[in-house]
Amino acid sequence: MHRVVYPGSFDPVTNGHVDVLQRATQLFDQVIVALGMNPSKSGLFSPDERLSMLRTETESYPNVELATFDGLLVDFCHQREALAIVKGLRVTGDFEFELQMAQMNFRLTGVQTVLMPTSPEYSYLSSSLVKEVAAYGGDVSGLVPEEVRRRLGQAFS
Ligand code: PNS
């Protein structure tokens, strides 16, 4: 059983996340989408709201499970007996930090990290940019799932 963890703060989930997730479900037997809190980012949506949006996007995948975790990602991976961590890679700027985290996580428990390039049409996309565009009334359709677009509209109305 090849189980992997796809972690993130998902504030909110974007079409770029969904793209990486969808491809991970084709490579691995089970993908646990793990909602964690990134202390360096201030959140817009509550953990429950993020989970609810993630649930809508993931319920059609039979091999996806949703979870939350506190503390170190490697501890969560160990508890869930995950083979590896899956992370999306958008632009080269992501690579330096992702490599650093992958090496630290490997150093801590020996867990592997699989870095998956996002589709080019989403390479500029991030939750932070989507929130900024939505905050100023910009159109984020096609960048996030429909429910997320609606909730962003409500959050910034
Ligand atoms: O979507 P994000 O904000 O890039 O997700 C970052 C997240 C939550 C995956 C990352 O901050 C994380 O792994 N947090 C858990 C704490 C941890 O393990 N820190 C050490 C990383 S080497």
Side-chain angles (χ1 to χ4, degrees), residues 134 148-157:
V148 176
R149 192 192 64 77
R150 193 176 49 74
R151 287 195 191 228
L152 281 167
Q154 285 168 354
F156 293 116
S157 63

Side-chain angles (χ1 to χ4, degrees), residues 7-9 36 38 41 69 71-73 101 104-105:
S9 40
N38 186 336
K41 294 179 183 169
F69 72 98
L72 286 178
L73 175 59
M101 284 198 288
M104 175 60 86
N105 286 331

Side-chain angles (χ1 to χ4, degrees), residues 23-72:
R23 283 184 292 124
T25 62
Q26 293 168 353
L27 291 176
F28 303 105
D29 298 316
Q30 191 185 23
V31 182
I32 303 175
V33 177
L35 174 66
M37 290 299 148
N38 186 336
S40 63
K41 294 179 183 169
S42 60
L44 173 66
F45 294 106
S46 71
D48 281 349
E49 288 172 316
R50 297 181 206 184
L51 273 180
S52 163
M53 289 183 270
L54 278 168
R55 194 167 296 114
T56 306
E57 291 319 302
T58 58
E59 61 193 1
S60 60
Y61 296 97
N63 59 340
V64 171
E65 184 190 320
L66 277 186
T68 56
F69 72 98
D70 289 318
L72 286 178

